[in-house]
Amino acid sequence: MNIDSETVDKIAHLARLELSATEKQEMIGDMNKILDFMAKLNEIDTAGVEPLVYLSDEVNVFRDDVVKQEITVEEGLKNAPKHDDKYFLVAKVIG
């Protein structure tokens, strides 16, 4: 399959892109290179190759979530510039 000017125009329209003539020619070249690369990959025999999901054999390298220190609402609000009894007060950003 070869990418032509019509295909690039259609893709640019779908992506809401405006391409100059120079950009369009560069895009045609780039897309054709991508398709050539994919065709090259399709030539490889992968019948006996299992799909690679993870790069290592580690099952789970994350630590368990453990609460180490709890703070009260009062302690959490102590250094807040503005607050009421339970919440931080911030400036309204939605009109």
Side-chain angles (χ1 to χ4, degrees):
M1 177 179 180
N2 258 345
I3 301 291
D4 58 2
S5 183
E6 286 181 20
T7 307
V8 171
D9 287 338
K10 183 176 180 180
I11 293 170
H13 173 72
L14 291 172
R16 305 297 190 254
L17 298 173
E18 293 182 18
L19 300 174
S20 67
T22 306
E23 291 172 327
K24 192 184 296 187
Q25 289 304 316
E26 289 176 4
M27 193 65 66
I28 290 171
D30 290 345
M31 289 182 168
N32 280 322
K33 285 180 187 177
I34 291 170
L35 290 179
D36 290 342
F37 180 71
M38 296 306 296
K40 193 64 119 168
L41 288 178
N42 285 332
E43 293 174 7
I44 299 172
D45 180 24
T46 59
V49 179
E50 291 186 31
L52 178 65
V53 179
Y54 300 106
L55 295 178
S56 69
D57 294 331
E58 297 293 328
V59 177
N60 186 358
V61 296
F62 301 115
R63 65 172 171 77
D64 292 332
D65 285 336
V66 178
V67 177
K68 293 185 178 182
Q69 178 184 1
E70 292 185 26
I71 62 171
T72 64
V73 174
E74 292 80 22
E75 291 171 332
L77 295 173
K78 183 171 66 173
N79 293 325
K82 293 182 181 179
H83 61 85
D84 60 10
D85 292 337
K86 293 183 181 179
Y87 305 103
F88 294 101
L89 297 176
V90 295
K92 185 176 181 179
V93 293
I94 299 176

